[in-house]
Amino acid sequence: MNTVPVNHPPIHVLNEVESRKILKEYAVPHNKSAFAKTKEETIQEADKMEFPVVLKVVSPLIVHKSDFGGVQINLQNIQEVEEAFDLIYENAKKRGVVSNGIEGVIVQEMIEGKEEILVGIKRDPIFGPVLVVGLGGVFVELLKDVSLGIAPLEENEILNMLKKLKAYPLLNGYRGKEKLDIDALVQLCKKVVDMAIREDGILEMDLNPVILREEGKGAIAVDARIVLQEK
Ligand code: ADP
Ligand code: MG
């Protein structure tokens, strides 16, 4: 049986909407989004965005949103948004989350890109904030191809972390593929590290994924989860 130390300070998991507020404060690039409580609000917010859009469930009971059918991407018009809204609620219900367990949805612009990157922070009790980067999906989950670096980190050190990844050639024009915006990814990581140094309440943070586009076109976080430790 797991035991929790009695004087362990409480932790607080921020949902995507709350996590994005912190990203905004530190100018970490992320896509346009809005929180909506009802279908009507969802339609209004989607109307203000560029299509295609994405809809995601917001619920304290759901951490991995796509495992619940809680992420609907590539929605081309309002009708598809309405259908996706219903589907998200149905999917959650099938998994035993009733509608009062759902706070609403996040509507956001869809970002097209070439690779999905994981950018994370883990605060180590001795070393402090540690930056974790790797390519999303199988590279991180199956091959454990990640690079770690202890804060503070300068741009050149972050670039070296990326170069240590086995999958690095995929970012840098492997076999005639286009080069991706490595510089933008380094800048994004730098902001994340500086944020973790300033905000010592951040215990963990995951930007998963950051969508990386071709050279000159940027790196943009489309999902965020921050865990705060209360003192
Ligand atoms: P979770 O990690 O909680 O399952 P995400 O928000 O990461 O949910 O969404 C799951 C996947 O959907 C992402 O890995 C990405 O492939 C895709 N996705 C999510 N949001 C967007 C977006 N705004 N633009 C493009 N793809 C997205
Ligand atoms: Mg994610």
Side-chain angles (χ1 to χ4, degrees):
M1 196 178 86
N2 287 329
T3 51
V4 178
V6 187
N7 57 0
H8 196 278
I11 61 165
H12 185 47
V13 182
L14 303 185
N15 66 29
E16 186 175 338
V17 179
E18 296 158 337
S19 301
R20 280 168 176 266
K21 288 184 186 152
I22 303 182
L23 297 188
K24 192 167 179 212
E25 258 180 66
Y26 286 88
V28 177
H30 56 285
N31 58 337
K32 186 173 176 182
S33 75
F35 175 63
K37 283 204 194 85
T38 61
K39 201 190 226 180
E40 288 64 38
E41 275 178 33
T42 305
I43 293 167
Q44 276 174 15
E45 294 298 345
D47 228 1
K48 295 183 214 158
M49 291 183 188
E50 242 176 68
F51 283 91
V53 298
V54 174
L55 230 62
K56 303 182 196 175
V57 68
V58 177
S59 164
L61 305 174
I62 300 173
V63 179
H64 298 291
K65 300 174 291 284
S66 41
D67 292 350
F68 273 74
V71 177
Q72 301 295 324
I73 64 166
N74 208 12
L75 309 172
Q76 299 289 347
N77 52 48
I78 291 296
Q79 194 194 331
E80 289 187 13
V81 168
E82 288 186 59
E83 287 163 7
F85 183 94
D86 292 337
L87 193 56
I88 284 176
Y89 274 76
E90 275 168 37
N91 288 341
K93 201 170 156 188
K94 275 189 212 150
R95 301 290 200 102
V97 180
V98 289
S99 40
N100 64 6
I102 300 179
E103 291 169 13
V105 296
I106 182 166
V107 196
Q108 58 186 248
E109 288 182 352
M110 172 117 180
I111 303 296
E112 310 272 0
K114 297 294 174 189
E115 289 291 346
E116 298 202 356
I117 314 290
L118 161 89
V119 176
I121 291 285
K122 298 257 179 289
R123 186 175 302 272
D124 180 271
I126 294 165
F127 297 115
V130 176
L131 175 70
V132 184
V133 288
L135 272 73
V138 290
F139 290 99
V140 170
E141 282 152 31
L142 193 66
L143 305 175
K144 312 284 178 223
D145 183 21
V146 292
S147 254
L148 305 181
I150 299 169
L153 290 161
E154 294 307 324
E155 276 93 344
N156 64 321
E157 296 172 301
I158 296 170
L159 179 60
N160 284 333
M161 282 174 65
L162 293 174
K163 286 182 177 168
K164 281 189 202 146
L165 293 169
K166 290 192 202 80
Y168 180 74
L170 295 176
L171 310 185
N172 199 31
Y174 180 67
R175 290 204 168 174
K177 275 186 28 172
E178 62 274 75
K179 283 192 177 198
L180 306 187
D181 204 336
I182 294 169
D183 188 42
L185 179 59
V186 169
Q187 299 299 327
L188 181 146
C189 290
K190 173 83 175 123
K191 285 184 172 152
V192 165
V193 170
D194 292 346
M195 172 175 119
I197 293 170
R198 297 261 307 267
E199 300 285 329
D200 63 359
I202 295 180
L203 186 64
E204 250 178 56
M205 164 167 151
D206 273 305
L207 303 182
N208 189 11
V210 167
I211 296 198
L212 187 55
R213 305 203 278 202
E214 300 94 319
E215 217 170 20
K217 297 197 172 156
I220 301 157
V222 302
D223 185 23
R225 175 176 162 275
I226 293 178
V227 181
L228 297 177
Q229 176 141 40
E230 282 153 29
K231 275 167 270 169

